[in-house]
């Protein structure tokens, strides 16, 4: 079932865990808001994007080792990658042009985030931006600063 011109509910609920991953009515509504207000405008501006993960039931979220309070469980978050553009360019466009609640540049690989976690709430978006940094056995999520971005990626959003 299409949510928008380029996104389907199947894509937004896909999981490789084999577990049931069906959103409630409220979660379904939030997924549709995420797509229509953030992902589809991003797609129009930047071309195709790959959705690695979006909605996760509590069971799926637990199976992938994510925090129980994750916005993925609410239907408000998606992990994405650029297809014809770099993940950094994708993040830069989001940061400078779109409303969002939270964006996390997930880890660094060859001067790029491996993927981008981005969320959108129906009201009260914070435009909070963080960078995930692996430190031995744990991950830290400091707030984005131009200086930190320069240190990790060699450029600013």
């Amino acid at each position: 079932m299409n949510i928008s011109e380029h996104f389907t509910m199947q894509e937004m609920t896909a999981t490789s865990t084999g577990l049931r991953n069906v959103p409630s009515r409220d979660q379904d509504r939030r997924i549709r808001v995420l797509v229509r207000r953030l992902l589809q405008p991003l797609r129009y501006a930047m071309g195709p994007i790959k959705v690695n993960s979006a909605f996760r039931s509590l069971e799926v979220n637990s199976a992938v080792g994510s925090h129980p309070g994750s916005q993925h469980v609410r239907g408000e978050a998606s992990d994405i990658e650029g297809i014809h553009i770099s993940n950094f360019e994708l993040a830069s466009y989001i940061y400078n042009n779109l409303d969002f609640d939270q964006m996390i540049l997930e880890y660094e690989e060859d001067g790029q985030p491996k993927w981008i976690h981005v969320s959108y709430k129906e009201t009260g978006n914070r435009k909070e931006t963080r960078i995930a940094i692996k430190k031995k056995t744990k991950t830290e999520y400091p707030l984005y600063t131009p200086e930190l971005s320069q240190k990790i990626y060699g450029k600013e959003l």
Side-chain angles (χ1 to χ4, degrees):
M1 170 196 310
N2 279 9
I3 299 173
S4 70
E5 183 178 348
H6 297 102
F7 295 92
T8 66
M9 187 57 76
Q10 181 180 4
E11 176 180 22
M12 299 303 291
T13 59
T15 178
S16 61
T17 65
L19 298 169
R20 184 166 149 69
N21 198 40
V22 179
S24 69
R25 178 179 254 152
D26 284 343
Q27 292 162 328
D28 181 283
R29 185 189 74 253
R30 290 185 201 111
I31 293 166
R32 291 173 188 279
V33 168
L34 169 67
V35 168
R36 291 176 180 153
R37 296 192 185 158
L38 179 64
L39 297 180
Q40 188 60 58
L42 179 61
R43 168 66 167 85
Y44 284 140
M46 303 304 285
I49 59 176
K50 178 182 175 192
V51 175
N52 295 333
S53 178
F55 171 74
R56 298 180 195 144
S57 66
L58 283 171
E59 295 78 18
V60 169
N61 199 58
S62 178
V64 300
S66 188
H67 185 275
S70 168
Q71 286 183 288
H72 287 277
V73 174
R74 294 183 48 80
E76 296 174 336
S78 182
D79 295 339
I80 60 174
E81 293 181 56
I83 293 179
H84 300 300
I85 61 166
S86 73
N87 289 340
F88 196 88
E89 289 173 293
L90 202 60
S92 183
Y93 185 84
I94 295 167
Y95 184 80
N96 290 297
N97 298 284
L98 297 174
D99 191 25
F100 62 92
D101 183 53
Q102 184 183 61
M103 180 168 62
I104 304 172
L105 285 69
E106 299 276 2
Y107 311 106
E108 182 274 333
E109 184 175 81
D110 300 323
Q112 295 290 321
K114 283 186 175 182
W115 71 88
I116 301 157
H117 165 95
V118 65
S119 66
Y120 188 96
K121 297 192 314 185
E122 293 175 281
T123 60
N125 285 312
R126 302 169 289 168
K127 288 199 87 156
E128 177 184 275
T129 305
R130 295 183 176 272
I131 298 175
I133 303 170
K134 189 73 130 178
K135 298 274 183 145
K136 294 188 182 183
T137 60
K138 70 177 197 165
T139 301
E140 295 179 357
Y141 296 91
L143 283 170
Y144 169 86
T145 64
E147 296 79 18
L148 182 59
S149 184
Q150 280 286 346
K151 180 179 176 185
I152 295 172
Y153 300 110
K155 51 194 162 201
E156 301 172 21
L157 291 175

